[in-house]
Amino acid sequence: MQIRLLQYSSWDWMPVTLGLAHLVGVLALFLAFPSQSWWSFISLGLIYSLSISWNINSISHNFIHNPYFRSERLNAAFSLILSLTLGFSQAMYHFVHMRHHSGNMDRPDEKGHTLDYLSIYKHGRDGEPENVWRYTFLSYFRDDPAEILRAMAARRPGEARQARMELAVMIGFYLVLAVIDWRFVACMLPFNYLGQCLSSLNGYYEHFGGDPDKPLAWGVSTYEKLYNWTWMNNGYHAEHHYRPKVHWTKMPELHHAIADEQERAGTRVIRPPHPLGFLDADVAER
């Protein structure tokens, strides 16, 4: 009898395999650290930083909307693997990201609050988005894990327990690595931070120039082929915000189905991939 492990598509073996390989790559970097020259380590560290943003915006992101496995235990195990790899709780990211979809980059209310923790308008002025570089390099320090856990406990106590477990295991995991070779952990911290910043940069241009008041224009899309092939169709971001439960393999089909409606709604499309959104021709004008 054939046992079906995946919930939605056999294509999901790709992000599952790459997610496991990413954790193996981190461990391999740890094992190779003592024999690496500084130049070699810095080069690998920069690749590691890019891989953090890549994972967050492809493997980890798609896992939030369409968990890969039919089994809840396998999904919980994969969530833990992502937590160890990325350096934060995947369950907490799930909660924050779903708030992102609830607020869709909303502007602050009269008290300065936004439903979306990640809104590019939250720290902006006069209803305008925050400067891209402030958002990119400061977002990491604005997260309040205690506040997020309290909000999770009030609304989703099961996920809050999963988040606490992931945090405990993740902290223990890196403490063990630090005991074995503290220099590795100390040297990797700046590269992990850079990876989180690259993810924030990615998120900024997924929404800069979008319209928080129009569902069809909540996100900003890019149809750059190499980016979509390697980042699992993350470029179809306007389509994703309009129909977040559509599987990542179906995004091009969704785009073709609603293209005329998007054009009428003024959905913004940029030519470069989101991480290079600052190179788009009309960024300076906007």
Side-chain angles (χ1 to χ4, degrees):
M1 182 177 66
Q2 185 178 9
I3 299 176
R4 183 183 170 192
L5 294 179
L6 298 180
Q7 181 160 224
Y8 293 102
S9 168
S10 59
W11 278 102
D12 283 335
W13 281 120
M14 183 169 70
V16 167
T17 302
L18 290 172
L20 294 171
H22 195 187
L23 178 59
V24 171
V26 173
L27 293 173
L29 189 59
F30 169 73
L31 294 174
F33 177 73
S35 61
Q36 294 290 314
S37 67
W38 278 108
W39 288 113
S40 174
F41 177 76
I42 290 172
S43 299
L44 292 173
L46 292 173
I47 295 172
Y48 164 77
S49 296
L50 181 60
S51 75
I52 292 289
S53 179
W54 162 75
N55 191 326
I56 292 172
N57 290 283
S58 57
I59 299 170
S60 173
H61 174 243
N62 289 323
F63 180 62
I64 287 173
H65 293 284
N66 294 293
Y68 299 137
F69 299 101
R70 293 168 62 88
S71 164
E72 290 186 7
R73 290 186 177 181
L74 286 178
N75 283 324
F78 193 72
S79 181
L80 178 59
I81 287 170
L82 290 173
S83 301
L84 295 178
T85 306
L86 299 173
F88 57 77
S89 164
Q90 173 70 16
M92 291 177 70
Y93 176 40
H94 185 149
F95 181 79
V96 169
H97 190 74
M98 296 314 291
R99 285 276 295 252
H100 168 59
H101 277 275
S102 296
N104 288 294
M105 289 290 172
D106 55 326
R107 294 183 175 89
D109 59 21
E110 62 278 2
K111 295 182 179 179
H113 299 151
T114 58
L115 183 60
D116 182 359
Y117 290 132
L118 306 175
S119 177
I120 62 176
Y121 298 94
K122 186 173 183 177
H123 298 278
R125 296 180 180 179
D126 302 320
E128 296 297 321
E130 181 178 16
N131 174 272
V132 58
W133 303 116
R134 285 180 55 83
Y135 183 87
T136 295
F137 292 108
L138 295 181
S139 289
Y140 180 82
F141 301 105
R142 291 168 175 165
D143 291 337
D144 186 344
E147 177 191 345
I148 295 170
L149 283 171
R150 284 194 297 270
M152 291 178 71
R155 297 170 176 81
R156 299 177 178 270
E159 292 182 13
R161 288 192 293 271
Q162 171 79 11
R164 292 190 187 97
M165 182 274 292
E166 289 175 352
L167 286 172
V169 174
M170 181 195 71
I171 291 170
F173 173 72
Y174 285 102
L175 281 176
V176 169
L177 294 187
V179 168
I180 298 172
D181 191 343
W182 65 269
R183 297 171 304 163
F184 172 80
V185 175
C187 289
M188 287 302 291
L189 281 174
F191 292 107
N192 184 274
Y193 165 69
L194 177 59
Q196 309 293 337
C197 290
L198 290 174
S199 180
S200 295
L201 177 65
N202 204 87
Y204 188 91
Y205 285 111
E206 288 171 349
H207 294 277
F208 179 73
D211 188 339
D213 300 317
K214 289 183 179 180
L216 275 164
W218 276 333
V220 173
S221 289
T222 170
Y223 305 122
E224 206 283 325
K225 291 182 179 179
L226 180 61
Y227 173 61
N228 279 301
W229 185 72
T230 53
W231 293 58
M232 300 172 202
N233 286 333
N234 189 60
Y236 294 86
H237 211 72
E239 293 81 359
H240 169 67
H241 268 265
Y242 186 58
R243 292 287 185 267
K245 286 300 291 181
V246 173
H247 193 266
W248 62 274
T249 57
K250 303 296 184 183
M251 282 297 153
E253 295 177 24
L254 176 61
H255 167 62
H256 291 304
I258 64 173
D260 292 340
E261 298 174 66
Q262 287 182 307
E263 186 173 358
R264 287 193 294 270
T267 303
R268 184 167 182 246
V269 177
I270 59 175
R271 294 188 65 182
H274 290 126
L276 300 176
F278 51 87
L279 298 177
D280 189 62
D282 69 343
V283 161
E285 179 181 338
R286 288 178 179 270

mmCIF file of all heavy atoms in Angstrom, residues 141-186:
data_model
loop_
_atom_site.group_PDB
_atom_site.id
_atom_site.type_symbol
_atom_site.label_atom_id
_atom_site.label_comp_id
_atom_site.label_asym_id
_atom_site.label_seq_id
_atom_site.Cartn_x
_atom_site.Cartn_y
_atom_site.Cartn_z
ATOM 1 N N PHE A 141 15.470 44.512 14.931
ATOM 2 C CA PHE A 141 15.518 44.909 16.337
ATOM 3 C C PHE A 141 14.145 45.338 16.873
ATOM 4 O O PHE A 141 14.000 45.580 18.067
ATOM 5 C CB PHE A 141 16.519 46.053 16.520
ATOM 6 C CG PHE A 141 17.917 45.695 16.080
ATOM 7 C CD1 PHE A 141 18.435 46.187 14.895
ATOM 8 C CD2 PHE A 141 18.700 44.847 16.856
ATOM 9 C CE1 PHE A 141 19.714 45.860 14.487
ATOM 10 C CE2 PHE A 141 19.985 44.513 16.457
ATOM 11 C CZ PHE A 141 20.493 45.013 15.272
ATOM 12 N N ARG A 142 13.178 45.445 15.991
ATOM 13 C CA ARG A 142 11.845 45.891 16.409
ATOM 14 C C ARG A 142 10.943 44.742 16.834
ATOM 15 O O ARG A 142 9.900 44.966 17.432
ATOM 16 C CB ARG A 142 11.184 46.676 15.269
ATOM 17 C CG ARG A 142 11.856 48.024 15.012
ATOM 18 C CD ARG A 142 11.375 48.610 13.707
ATOM 19 N NE ARG A 142 11.912 49.952 13.489
ATOM 20 C CZ ARG A 142 11.900 50.578 12.326
ATOM 21 N NH1 ARG A 142 11.387 49.969 11.264
ATOM 22 N NH2 ARG A 142 12.404 51.798 12.211
ATOM 23 N N ASP A 143 11.325 43.524 16.514
ATOM 24 C CA ASP A 143 10.519 42.384 16.929
ATOM 25 C C ASP A 143 10.535 42.252 18.441
ATOM 26 O O ASP A 143 11.591 42.384 19.080
ATOM 27 C CB ASP A 143 11.049 41.093 16.296
ATOM 28 C CG ASP A 143 10.816 41.046 14.794
ATOM 29 O OD1 ASP A 143 9.910 41.737 14.322
ATOM 30 O OD2 ASP A 143 11.559 40.308 14.113
ATOM 31 N N ASP A 144 9.387 41.983 19.020
ATOM 32 C CA ASP A 144 9.270 41.759 20.463
ATOM 33 C C ASP A 144 8.743 40.343 20.672
ATOM 34 O O ASP A 144 7.521 40.110 20.645
ATOM 35 C CB ASP A 144 8.325 42.785 21.083
ATOM 36 C CG ASP A 144 8.274 42.683 22.607
ATOM 37 O OD1 ASP A 144 8.716 41.656 23.152
ATOM 38 O OD2 ASP A 144 7.787 43.629 23.252
ATOM 39 N N PRO A 145 9.638 39.359 20.871
ATOM 40 C CA PRO A 145 9.190 37.966 21.013
ATOM 41 C C PRO A 145 8.191 37.768 22.143
ATOM 42 O O PRO A 145 7.249 36.978 22.002
ATOM 43 C CB PRO A 145 10.497 37.203 21.284
ATOM 44 C CG PRO A 145 11.571 38.067 20.698
ATOM 45 C CD PRO A 145 11.111 39.474 20.908
ATOM 46 N N ALA A 146 8.370 38.496 23.260
ATOM 47 C CA ALA A 146 7.443 38.346 24.384
ATOM 48 C C ALA A 146 6.039 38.804 23.992
ATOM 49 O O ALA A 146 5.040 38.134 24.316
ATOM 50 C CB ALA A 146 7.945 39.137 25.587
ATOM 51 N N GLU A 147 5.949 39.921 23.289
ATOM 52 C CA GLU A 147 4.639 40.419 22.842
ATOM 53 C C GLU A 147 3.993 39.438 21.867
ATOM 54 O O GLU A 147 2.786 39.163 21.940
ATOM 55 C CB GLU A 147 4.797 41.783 22.177
ATOM 56 C CG GLU A 147 3.493 42.345 21.608
ATOM 57 C CD GLU A 147 3.704 43.565 20.735
ATOM 58 O OE1 GLU A 147 4.800 44.155 20.795
ATOM 59 O OE2 GLU A 147 2.779 43.913 19.985
ATOM 60 N N ILE A 148 4.795 38.911 20.948
ATOM 61 C CA ILE A 148 4.257 37.962 19.969
ATOM 62 C C ILE A 148 3.768 36.698 20.655
ATOM 63 O O ILE A 148 2.680 36.188 20.353
ATOM 64 C CB ILE A 148 5.336 37.631 18.915
ATOM 65 C CG1 ILE A 148 5.677 38.879 18.099
ATOM 66 C CG2 ILE A 148 4.860 36.515 17.991
ATOM 67 C CD1 ILE A 148 6.892 38.716 17.201
ATOM 68 N N LEU A 149 4.531 36.191 21.627
ATOM 69 C CA LEU A 149 4.118 34.981 22.345
ATOM 70 C C LEU A 149 2.842 35.214 23.146
ATOM 71 O O LEU A 149 1.983 34.326 23.224
ATOM 72 C CB LEU A 149 5.245 34.502 23.268
ATOM 73 C CG LEU A 149 6.407 33.783 22.582
ATOM 74 C CD1 LEU A 149 7.544 33.557 23.570
ATOM 75 C CD2 LEU A 149 5.940 32.455 21.985
ATOM 76 N N ARG A 150 2.707 36.410 23.733
ATOM 77 C CA ARG A 150 1.474 36.716 24.471
ATOM 78 C C ARG A 150 0.268 36.728 23.525
ATOM 79 O O ARG A 150 -0.802 36.198 23.847
ATOM 80 C CB ARG A 150 1.603 38.066 25.190
ATOM 81 C CG ARG A 150 2.460 38.036 26.441
ATOM 82 C CD ARG A 150 2.264 39.290 27.268
ATOM 83 N NE ARG A 150 2.677 40.501 26.551
ATOM 84 C CZ ARG A 150 3.898 41.012 26.595
ATOM 85 N NH1 ARG A 150 4.831 40.410 27.330
ATOM 86 N NH2 ARG A 150 4.183 42.109 25.930
ATOM 87 N N ALA A 151 0.445 37.353 22.368
ATOM 88 C CA ALA A 151 -0.642 37.403 21.392
ATOM 89 C C ALA A 151 -0.973 36.002 20.880
ATOM 90 O O ALA A 151 -2.152 35.661 20.688
ATOM 91 C CB ALA A 151 -0.254 38.320 20.231
ATOM 92 N N MET A 152 0.052 35.172 20.681
ATOM 93 C CA MET A 152 -0.179 33.803 20.239
ATOM 94 C C MET A 152 -0.922 33.007 21.308
ATOM 95 O O MET A 152 -1.866 32.259 21.004
ATOM 96 C CB MET A 152 1.154 33.115 19.921
ATOM 97 C CG MET A 152 1.857 33.638 18.702
ATOM 98 S SD MET A 152 3.446 32.810 18.415
ATOM 99 C CE MET A 152 2.892 31.176 17.887
ATOM 100 N N ALA A 153 -0.517 33.163 22.574
ATOM 101 C CA ALA A 153 -1.142 32.419 23.659
ATOM 102 C C ALA A 153 -2.613 32.768 23.794
ATOM 103 O O ALA A 153 -3.442 31.909 24.140
ATOM 104 C CB ALA A 153 -0.407 32.687 24.965
ATOM 105 N N ALA A 154 -2.954 34.027 23.530
ATOM 106 C CA ALA A 154 -4.345 34.463 23.650
ATOM 107 C C ALA A 154 -5.211 33.932 22.517
ATOM 108 O O ALA A 154 -6.397 33.656 22.719
ATOM 109 C CB ALA A 154 -4.410 35.992 23.677
ATOM 110 N N ARG A 155 -4.611 33.785 21.318
ATOM 111 C CA ARG A 155 -5.413 33.404 20.151
ATOM 112 C C ARG A 155 -5.172 31.970 19.706
ATOM 113 O O ARG A 155 -6.085 31.288 19.248
ATOM 114 C CB ARG A 155 -5.110 34.354 18.986
ATOM 115 C CG ARG A 155 -5.492 35.799 19.245
ATOM 116 C CD ARG A 155 -4.951 36.717 18.168
ATOM 117 N NE ARG A 155 -5.367 38.096 18.337
ATOM 118 C CZ ARG A 155 -4.779 38.955 19.170
ATOM 119 N NH1 ARG A 155 -3.725 38.557 19.887
ATOM 120 N NH2 ARG A 155 -5.216 40.204 19.283
ATOM 121 N N ARG A 156 -3.921 31.509 19.809
ATOM 122 C CA ARG A 156 -3.556 30.178 19.323
ATOM 123 C C ARG A 156 -2.618 29.506 20.333
ATOM 124 O O ARG A 156 -1.410 29.424 20.111
ATOM 125 C CB ARG A 156 -2.875 30.285 17.958
ATOM 126 C CG ARG A 156 -3.756 30.915 16.873
ATOM 127 C CD ARG A 156 -3.005 31.074 15.567
ATOM 128 N NE ARG A 156 -3.844 31.621 14.524
ATOM 129 C CZ ARG A 156 -4.581 30.888 13.677
ATOM 130 N NH1 ARG A 156 -4.571 29.570 13.792
ATOM 131 N NH2 ARG A 156 -5.324 31.465 12.752
ATOM 132 N N PRO A 157 -3.166 29.037 21.458
ATOM 133 C CA PRO A 157 -2.311 28.485 22.527
ATOM 134 C C PRO A 157 -1.473 27.291 22.085
ATOM 135 O O PRO A 157 -0.342 27.125 22.552
ATOM 136 C CB PRO A 157 -3.319 28.099 23.616
ATOM 137 C CG PRO A 157 -4.647 28.059 22.943
ATOM 138 C CD PRO A 157 -4.587 29.040 21.832
ATOM 139 N N GLY A 158 -2.002 26.464 21.185
ATOM 140 C CA GLY A 158 -1.226 25.327 20.702
ATOM 141 C C GLY A 158 0.006 25.765 19.946
ATOM 142 O O GLY A 158 1.098 25.213 20.127
ATOM 143 N N GLU A 159 -0.155 26.775 19.091
ATOM 144 C CA GLU A 159 0.983 27.295 18.338
ATOM 145 C C GLU A 159 1.967 28.007 19.262
ATOM 146 O O GLU A 159 3.178 27.993 19.012
ATOM 147 C CB GLU A 159 0.496 28.244 17.245
ATOM 148 C CG GLU A 159 -0.271 27.552 16.138
ATOM 149 C CD GLU A 159 -0.713 28.497 15.042
ATOM 150 O OE1 GLU A 159 -0.215 29.640 15.006
ATOM 151 O OE2 GLU A 159 -1.568 28.096 14.231
ATOM 152 N N ALA A 160 1.468 28.625 20.334
ATOM 153 C CA ALA A 160 2.355 29.273 21.301
ATOM 154 C C ALA A 160 3.238 28.230 21.985
ATOM 155 O O ALA A 160 4.437 28.463 22.207
ATOM 156 C CB ALA A 160 1.543 30.043 22.337
ATOM 157 N N ARG A 161 2.663 27.072 22.308
ATOM 158 C CA ARG A 161 3.467 25.997 22.911
ATOM 159 C C ARG A 161 4.511 25.490 21.928
ATOM 160 O O ARG A 161 5.665 25.239 22.314
ATOM 161 C CB ARG A 161 2.549 24.851 23.361
ATOM 162 C CG ARG A 161 1.700 25.178 24.580
ATOM 163 C CD ARG A 161 1.040 23.935 25.147
ATOM 164 N NE ARG A 161 0.036 23.385 24.212
ATOM 165 C CZ ARG A 161 -1.238 23.744 24.199
ATOM 166 N NH1 ARG A 161 -1.672 24.674 25.060
ATOM 167 N NH2 ARG A 161 -2.082 23.197 23.353
ATOM 168 N N GLN A 162 4.120 25.345 20.671
ATOM 169 C CA GLN A 162 5.076 24.932 19.641
ATOM 170 C C GLN A 162 6.203 25.957 19.522
ATOM 171 O O GLN A 162 7.384 25.594 19.409
ATOM 172 C CB GLN A 162 4.363 24.791 18.293
ATOM 173 C CG GLN A 162 5.272 24.562 17.087
ATOM 174 C CD GLN A 162 5.767 23.147 16.950
ATOM 175 O OE1 GLN A 162 5.293 22.254 17.636
ATOM 176 N NE2 GLN A 162 6.722 22.932 16.058
ATOM 177 N N ALA A 163 5.866 27.235 19.575
ATOM 178 C CA ALA A 163 6.871 28.290 19.459
ATOM 179 C C ALA A 163 7.852 28.245 20.623
ATOM 180 O O ALA A 163 9.065 28.385 20.427
ATOM 181 C CB ALA A 163 6.190 29.656 19.383
ATOM 182 N N ARG A 164 7.342 28.054 21.834
ATOM 183 C CA ARG A 164 8.232 27.990 22.999
ATOM 184 C C ARG A 164 9.165 26.791 22.899
ATOM 185 O O ARG A 164 10.357 26.889 23.241
ATOM 186 C CB ARG A 164 7.410 27.913 24.283
ATOM 187 C CG ARG A 164 6.626 29.186 24.606
ATOM 188 C CD ARG A 164 6.042 29.130 26.006
ATOM 189 N NE ARG A 164 5.157 30.265 26.247
ATOM 190 C CZ ARG A 164 3.837 30.230 26.127
ATOM 191 N NH1 ARG A 164 3.238 29.091 25.754
ATOM 192 N NH2 ARG A 164 3.100 31.297 26.368
ATOM 193 N N MET A 165 8.639 25.665 22.450
ATOM 194 C CA MET A 165 9.481 24.484 22.271
ATOM 195 C C MET A 165 10.558 24.746 21.230
ATOM 196 O O MET A 165 11.736 24.405 21.430
ATOM 197 C CB MET A 165 8.610 23.288 21.864
ATOM 198 C CG MET A 165 9.387 21.977 21.698
ATOM 199 S SD MET A 165 10.119 21.768 20.042
ATOM 200 C CE MET A 165 8.636 21.558 19.044
ATOM 201 N N GLU A 166 10.178 25.361 20.107
ATOM 202 C CA GLU A 166 11.155 25.645 19.058
ATOM 203 C C GLU A 166 12.234 26.595 19.556
ATOM 204 O O GLU A 166 13.427 26.400 19.263
ATOM 205 C CB GLU A 166 10.446 26.239 17.843
ATOM 206 C CG GLU A 166 9.593 25.231 17.083
ATOM 207 C CD GLU A 166 8.786 25.842 15.946
ATOM 208 O OE1 GLU A 166 8.773 27.085 15.832
ATOM 209 O OE2 GLU A 166 8.168 25.087 15.174
ATOM 210 N N LEU A 167 11.831 27.608 20.297
ATOM 211 C CA LEU A 167 12.815 28.549 20.841
ATOM 212 C C LEU A 167 13.776 27.848 21.783
ATOM 213 O O LEU A 167 14.992 28.083 21.742
ATOM 214 C CB LEU A 167 12.104 29.696 21.560
ATOM 215 C CG LEU A 167 11.408 30.737 20.679
ATOM 216 C CD1 LEU A 167 10.589 31.697 21.537
ATOM 217 C CD2 LEU A 167 12.422 31.520 19.853
ATOM 218 N N ALA A 168 13.244 26.988 22.651
ATOM 219 C CA ALA A 168 14.092 26.286 23.623
ATOM 220 C C ALA A 168 15.083 25.366 22.920
ATOM 221 O O ALA A 168 16.286 25.356 23.249
ATOM 222 C CB ALA A 168 13.217 25.490 24.600
ATOM 223 N N VAL A 169 14.596 24.594 21.946
ATOM 224 C CA VAL A 169 15.483 23.675 21.223
ATOM 225 C C VAL A 169 16.505 24.452 20.408
ATOM 226 O O VAL A 169 17.696 24.087 20.363
ATOM 227 C CB VAL A 169 14.658 22.735 20.317
ATOM 228 C CG1 VAL A 169 15.584 21.866 19.457
ATOM 229 C CG2 VAL A 169 13.749 21.849 21.163
ATOM 230 N N MET A 170 16.068 25.537 19.760
ATOM 231 C CA MET A 170 16.981 26.337 18.948
ATOM 232 C C MET A 170 18.088 26.953 19.807
ATOM 233 O O MET A 170 19.277 26.887 19.454
ATOM 234 C CB MET A 170 16.210 27.441 18.229
ATOM 235 C CG MET A 170 17.062 28.325 17.333
ATOM 236 S SD MET A 170 16.185 29.826 16.893
ATOM 237 C CE MET A 170 16.183 30.701 18.460
ATOM 238 N N ILE A 171 17.704 27.526 20.947
ATOM 239 C CA ILE A 171 18.701 28.122 21.834
ATOM 240 C C ILE A 171 19.662 27.045 22.342
ATOM 241 O O ILE A 171 20.886 27.242 22.372
ATOM 242 C CB ILE A 171 18.013 28.848 23.011
ATOM 243 C CG1 ILE A 171 17.278 30.091 22.497
ATOM 244 C CG2 ILE A 171 19.039 29.254 24.074
ATOM 245 C CD1 ILE A 171 16.388 30.741 23.528
ATOM 246 N N GLY A 172 19.118 25.894 22.713
ATOM 247 C CA GLY A 172 19.967 24.796 23.163
ATOM 248 C C GLY A 172 20.913 24.332 22.075
ATOM 249 O O GLY A 172 22.098 24.047 22.338
ATOM 250 N N PHE A 173 20.424 24.258 20.848
ATOM 251 C CA PHE A 173 21.230 23.819 19.713
ATOM 252 C C PHE A 173 22.440 24.730 19.512
ATOM 253 O O PHE A 173 23.585 24.267 19.392
ATOM 254 C CB PHE A 173 20.350 23.809 18.459
ATOM 255 C CG PHE A 173 21.075 23.529 17.169
ATOM 256 C CD1 PHE A 173 21.551 22.262 16.881
ATOM 257 C CD2 PHE A 173 21.259 24.535 16.223
ATOM 258 C CE1 PHE A 173 22.205 22.006 15.683
ATOM 259 C CE2 PHE A 173 21.901 24.291 15.027
ATOM 260 C CZ PHE A 173 22.385 23.024 14.760
ATOM 261 N N TYR A 174 22.202 26.046 19.530
ATOM 262 C CA TYR A 174 23.309 26.976 19.295
ATOM 263 C C TYR A 174 24.207 27.121 20.520
ATOM 264 O O TYR A 174 25.387 27.443 20.383
ATOM 265 C CB TYR A 174 22.770 28.325 18.807
ATOM 266 C CG TYR A 174 22.333 28.248 17.361
ATOM 267 C CD1 TYR A 174 20.983 28.136 17.012
ATOM 268 C CD2 TYR A 174 23.268 28.234 16.336
ATOM 269 C CE1 TYR A 174 20.599 28.030 15.691
ATOM 270 C CE2 TYR A 174 22.892 28.128 15.015
ATOM 271 C CZ TYR A 174 21.556 28.017 14.695
ATOM 272 O OH TYR A 174 21.185 27.893 13.377
ATOM 273 N N LEU A 175 23.668 26.862 21.708
ATOM 274 C CA LEU A 175 24.522 26.828 22.894
ATOM 275 C C LEU A 175 25.495 25.656 22.817
ATOM 276 O O LEU A 175 26.678 25.794 23.185
ATOM 277 C CB LEU A 175 23.674 26.731 24.164
ATOM 278 C CG LEU A 175 23.035 28.026 24.657
ATOM 279 C CD1 LEU A 175 22.139 27.752 25.863
ATOM 280 C CD2 LEU A 175 24.103 29.067 25.015
ATOM 281 N N VAL A 176 25.033 24.513 22.338
ATOM 282 C CA VAL A 176 25.920 23.358 22.167
ATOM 283 C C VAL A 176 27.012 23.682 21.163
ATOM 284 O O VAL A 176 28.200 23.388 21.391
ATOM 285 C CB VAL A 176 25.111 22.118 21.720
ATOM 286 C CG1 VAL A 176 26.055 20.991 21.290
ATOM 287 C CG2 VAL A 176 24.218 21.633 22.855
ATOM 288 N N LEU A 177 26.634 24.302 20.042
ATOM 289 C CA LEU A 177 27.643 24.700 19.056
ATOM 290 C C LEU A 177 28.633 25.692 19.665
ATOM 291 O O LEU A 177 29.845 25.625 19.392
ATOM 292 C CB LEU A 177 26.974 25.328 17.829
ATOM 293 C CG LEU A 177 26.089 24.424 16.968
ATOM 294 C CD1 LEU A 177 25.656 25.171 15.705
ATOM 295 C CD2 LEU A 177 26.788 23.126 16.605
ATOM 296 N N ALA A 178 28.136 26.602 20.513
ATOM 297 C CA ALA A 178 29.011 27.599 21.136
ATOM 298 C C ALA A 178 29.980 26.948 22.117
ATOM 299 O O ALA A 178 31.137 27.371 22.238
ATOM 300 C CB ALA A 178 28.172 28.658 21.843
ATOM 301 N N VAL A 179 29.512 25.938 22.832
ATOM 302 C CA VAL A 179 30.395 25.226 23.765
ATOM 303 C C VAL A 179 31.511 24.518 22.998
ATOM 304 O O VAL A 179 32.672 24.503 23.416
ATOM 305 C CB VAL A 179 29.585 24.215 24.611
ATOM 306 C CG1 VAL A 179 30.522 23.278 25.368
ATOM 307 C CG2 VAL A 179 28.678 24.956 25.581
ATOM 308 N N ILE A 180 31.151 23.935 21.855
ATOM 309 C CA ILE A 180 32.148 23.231 21.041
ATOM 310 C C ILE A 180 33.117 24.223 20.398
ATOM 311 O O ILE A 180 34.337 24.005 20.404
ATOM 312 C CB ILE A 180 31.453 22.382 19.960
ATOM 313 C CG1 ILE A 180 30.580 21.311 20.621
ATOM 314 C CG2 ILE A 180 32.485 21.731 19.038
ATOM 315 C CD1 ILE A 180 29.710 20.545 19.639
ATOM 316 N N ASP A 181 32.583 25.299 19.837
ATOM 317 C CA ASP A 181 33.436 26.312 19.191
ATOM 318 C C ASP A 181 32.692 27.651 19.202
ATOM 319 O O ASP A 181 31.929 27.958 18.276
ATOM 320 C CB ASP A 181 33.780 25.901 17.757
ATOM 321 C CG ASP A 181 34.868 26.776 17.136
ATOM 322 O OD1 ASP A 181 35.126 27.877 17.667
ATOM 323 O OD2 ASP A 181 35.464 26.363 16.121
ATOM 324 N N TRP A 182 32.921 28.431 20.246
ATOM 325 C CA TRP A 182 32.199 29.699 20.401
ATOM 326 C C TRP A 182 32.526 30.692 19.289
ATOM 327 O O TRP A 182 31.705 31.546 18.939
ATOM 328 C CB TRP A 182 32.515 30.340 21.754
ATOM 329 C CG TRP A 182 33.958 30.757 21.906
ATOM 330 C CD1 TRP A 182 34.978 30.029 22.416
ATOM 331 C CD2 TRP A 182 34.515 32.019 21.515
ATOM 332 N NE1 TRP A 182 36.157 30.734 22.383
ATOM 333 C CE2 TRP A 182 35.898 31.965 21.836
ATOM 334 C CE3 TRP A 182 33.996 33.175 20.953
ATOM 335 C CZ2 TRP A 182 36.757 33.031 21.594
ATOM 336 C CZ3 TRP A 182 34.854 34.237 20.697
ATOM 337 C CH2 TRP A 182 36.223 34.165 21.032
ATOM 338 N N ARG A 183 33.712 30.543 18.700
ATOM 339 C CA ARG A 183 34.110 31.478 17.648
ATOM 340 C C ARG A 183 33.193 31.362 16.435
ATOM 341 O O ARG A 183 32.875 32.357 15.780
ATOM 342 C CB ARG A 183 35.558 31.218 17.227
ATOM 343 C CG ARG A 183 36.590 31.425 18.320
ATOM 344 C CD ARG A 183 37.947 30.940 17.849
ATOM 345 N NE ARG A 183 37.871 29.543 17.426
ATOM 346 C CZ ARG A 183 38.792 28.936 16.674
ATOM 347 N NH1 ARG A 183 39.856 29.613 16.261
ATOM 348 N NH2 ARG A 183 38.653 27.656 16.339
ATOM 349 N N PHE A 184 32.765 30.134 16.125
ATOM 350 C CA PHE A 184 31.868 29.937 14.990
ATOM 351 C C PHE A 184 30.563 30.691 15.195
ATOM 352 O O PHE A 184 30.105 31.417 14.295
ATOM 353 C CB PHE A 184 31.584 28.445 14.801
ATOM 354 C CG PHE A 184 30.517 28.164 13.775
ATOM 355 C CD1 PHE A 184 30.818 28.182 12.420
ATOM 356 C CD2 PHE A 184 29.212 27.894 14.159
ATOM 357 C CE1 PHE A 184 29.832 27.945 11.463
ATOM 358 C CE2 PHE A 184 28.226 27.655 13.215
ATOM 359 C CZ PHE A 184 28.535 27.674 11.864
ATOM 360 N N VAL A 185 29.952 30.535 16.361
ATOM 361 C CA VAL A 185 28.682 31.193 16.632
ATOM 362 C C VAL A 185 28.848 32.713 16.604
ATOM 363 O O VAL A 185 28.035 33.440 16.032
ATOM 364 C CB VAL A 185 28.108 30.724 17.977
ATOM 365 C CG1 VAL A 185 26.840 31.499 18.333
ATOM 366 C CG2 VAL A 185 27.820 29.225 17.940
ATOM 367 N N ALA A 186 29.941 33.198 17.214
ATOM 368 C CA ALA A 186 30.192 34.641 17.238
ATOM 369 C C ALA A 186 30.392 35.189 15.828
ATOM 370 O O ALA A 186 29.898 36.278 15.493
ATOM 371 C CB ALA A 186 31.413 34.942 18.097
#
